Amino acid sequence: MTTVERKIAELRHKLAGIDADFARWRAETDPGRVLRKHRTQVVRLTDRLGGVVERIGAELDAAAGDDVLRECRRLQLRMLEVHRLWDFYRSKLNLRYVEWYRPFLTAVDEFAWRCYEPAAAGRDREAPLVHLSGEFSPFTHLRETPFAVEDVPDALDTADFLGVVTRLPIPVIGLPWYQLVHLPDAVVVGHEVGHAVDRDFGLLGTVRALTRPVSRTMPEARRDAWDTWLPEVFADLYGVLAGGPAFASALADLLVVDDTRAAAELDGPVLVHPPAAVRLAVTAQALAETGFPAARPACGPFEDDIAPMVEALLDGPYPGLGDRPLREVIAFTAAQQRNAGTAADGLADHQRPETSDVRCLIAAARLAFDREPALFAPPPPGRVNAQDLILDKVAKAVGDGSRADDGEAGPAVDDRAAGAELYDLIDSMIREAHHDHHD
């Protein structure tokens, strides 16, 4: 056997190994298996990346003689790129195999899906995949998210890698590790789902257009501040619609600062996130607009902007969401709030909640914690706390089938063809970076 023949055999084996890995992960999404609720996510990801694999295989088929030796490193790097992109998700899916992480991740995955699905039904996106992270607060992976890939010559750098990830159909949400034992904060996932909805359905232009009549008469500095804050304001509103008063409570605890700092934020430089007082005023106004009267904190020079801004964003309409008002896309109803309150009451008596509505259960965790934090203290050996009771109920509500068994239908998208286009993007990014490096 010649060197060329051995190299071709080696490359084909490595390429086949990717498909074999994909097949094993897809098998893990069968009913009753650990990843059963992630079936469409895994199938779509492996199909999309499988399109990249097919393009690599086609290039290998077209190579002959010395071309194989000249191209073998590049082809192996493209295979490695598939592994790196898949591992971005695979490493997060792996967390579900740790038995003591699984109940929490099942709950936040289901909550994220229940928040995302009303906006995404029948669209070319999948529910966010939640994972655990060393970041201080929850975040949605975007280009600016702190993240780095291995520094491999002639491979995607971090910026380009994240650019490719955003072309894949699965958003990713990171939660701080310590939330594993503090379910009352999980309702803030609704905010992160709002970011995913904004990005996935191209809503920022609409958000700006909807608020332009409100901001047009503002002084320039205040108008620029709101323009900077709009993505966060939209996400906070989505969080209110996803979790109701429980979301506002969790956000208030996340943002808590002393009075001196709160006042300084209002007069300080404009950052990506609005000052805490502005965010809490926005959520209070949104609660009032949706039937849950709430005290609104003062927010200095932005006081008169809150009501018209919130009303404009809630009322839409949003072409990217079927020309619907945001408040009709998703809402936390009075009935859901009653069910969450009833569940919280039961938790105080160490009773398992009756409702199977996962959004109500996550909200109930927050409401119960607000009333009696000790309910969520680590229990003595052999006992359970309020978090355990909720997670057990969520596990029963989720069941053993896939989401497709529950009526979720994946969008009719040719992920293989999209994967072939993704290969072209990866290849062009790497070639351009290589050219720039050698200029």
Side-chain angles (χ1 to χ4, degrees):
M1 179 176 284
T2 67
T3 301
V4 169
E5 289 171 334
R6 285 200 308 275
K7 182 55 69 174
I8 289 175
E10 172 196 329
L11 294 175
R12 291 197 189 286
H13 295 164
K14 290 177 177 177
L15 201 57
I18 300 176
D19 283 331
D21 189 52
F22 288 169
R24 291 187 179 99
W25 281 95
R26 289 167 79 126
E28 288 298 302
T29 68
D30 288 343
R33 304 298 288 269
V34 170
L35 300 181
R36 62 193 179 278
K37 291 298 179 180
H38 300 278
R39 182 167 184 80
T40 58
Q41 291 173 321
V42 171
V43 167
R44 295 204 61 208
L45 279 169
T46 54
D47 271 350
R48 181 100 24 131
L49 293 174
V52 179
V53 171
E54 287 179 353
R55 283 295 303 276
I56 298 170
E59 291 203 2
L60 179 57
D61 290 341
D66 288 344
D67 287 345
V68 174
L69 302 181
R70 280 193 294 269
E71 292 294 311
C72 65
R73 183 176 185 276
R74 185 181 67 84
L75 292 174
Q76 287 180 96
L77 284 169
R78 298 302 181 268
M79 293 181 209
L80 183 62
E81 214 62 77
V82 174
H83 275 294
R84 296 206 301 170
L85 288 164
W86 176 225
D87 195 56
F88 181 82
Y89 294 94
R90 179 174 53 198
S91 61
K92 297 165 179 58
L93 291 166
N94 260 331
L95 293 172
R96 279 85 187 152
Y97 288 89
V98 181
E99 187 176 352
W100 52 95
Y101 297 167
R102 192 182 307 149
F104 176 86
L105 289 169
T106 297
V108 292
D109 276 333
E110 191 71 11
F111 180 68
W113 179 63
R114 296 291 178 181
C115 296
Y116 187 85
E117 190 273 337
R123 306 288 289 278
D124 178 23
R125 299 299 295 187
E126 294 290 327
L129 178 67
V130 182
H131 70 104
L132 297 162
S133 158
E135 291 294 314
F136 173 75
S137 60
F139 66 91
T140 305
H141 271 293
L142 300 170
R143 275 183 172 271
E144 63 272 17
T145 302
F147 175 80
V149 294
E150 302 93 336
D151 184 12
V152 178
D154 299 321
L156 293 173
D157 63 17
T158 294
D160 285 343
F161 183 90
L162 287 176
V164 172
V165 166
T166 63
R167 304 292 187 99
L168 295 171
I170 317 296
V172 175
I173 292 173
L175 295 180
W177 276 95
Y178 44 62
Q179 283 199 9
L180 268 172
V181 294
H182 193 61
L183 190 65
D185 280 352
V187 70
V188 300
V189 167
H191 171 99
E192 302 308 323
V193 172
H195 279 308
V197 168
D198 173 12
R199 185 197 71 189
D200 290 349
F201 306 116
L203 303 185
L204 185 54
T206 300
V207 167
R208 289 199 165 111
L210 291 172
T211 56
R212 197 167 293 125
V214 179
S215 62
R216 184 177 293 129
T217 59
M218 294 179 186
E220 183 178 4
R222 209 163 86 224
R223 183 170 64 246
D224 290 346
W226 279 108
D227 190 65
T228 300
W229 298 336
L230 282 176
E232 295 299 329
V233 171
F234 176 88
D236 281 341
L237 293 179
Y238 204 93
V240 170
L241 296 173
F247 171 80
S249 169
L251 183 67
D253 273 11
L254 178 66
L255 300 177
V256 66
V257 294
D258 61 75
D259 292 342
T260 301
R261 181 175 171 185
E265 286 181 346
L266 289 170
D267 296 324
V270 174
L271 304 176
V272 171
H273 289 83
V278 171
R279 295 184 70 181
L280 297 179
V282 164
T283 56
Q285 184 66 35
L287 287 174
E289 291 275 349
T290 53
F292 303 110
R296 206 179 89 181
C299 53
F302 307 101
E303 187 76 30
D304 294 336
D305 306 337
I306 301 296
M309 278 286 184
V310 169
E311 185 176 347
L313 290 171
L314 289 178
D315 288 346
Y318 290 81
L321 299 174
D323 285 322
R324 293 176 290 171
L326 189 61
R327 64 171 91 222
E328 291 183 10
V329 173
I330 182 171
F332 198 81
T333 66
Q336 286 176 304
Q337 179 66 11
R338 286 194 297 274
N339 287 339
T342 299
D345 292 340
L347 290 169
D349 294 326
H350 304 285
Q351 296 176 359
R352 183 177 287 105
E354 293 185 7
T355 181
S356 295
D357 183 330
V358 173
R359 286 168 61 199
C360 291
L361 290 168
I362 296 299
R366 185 70 217 180
L367 299 179
F369 177 77
D370 287 346
R371 298 174 192 177
E372 192 175 343
L375 293 172
F376 292 85
R383 304 288 297 275
V384 297
N385 65 5
Q387 174 160 324
D388 297 322
L389 293 172
I390 294 172
L391 294 182
D392 182 66
K393 182 64 178 184
V394 171
K396 288 179 169 58
V398 166
D400 287 332
S402 69
R403 290 193 180 123
D405 295 334
D406 298 332
E408 179 197 19
V413 175
D414 189 344
D415 280 303
R416 290 277 171 167
E421 295 176 1
L422 192 66
Y423 175 83
D424 291 333
L425 174 66
I426 293 168
D427 200 58
S428 65
M429 282 179 165
I430 294 173
R431 289 180 186 275
E432 183 176 340
H434 181 80
H435 180 268
D436 292 344
H437 178 73
H438 290 280
D439 278 351

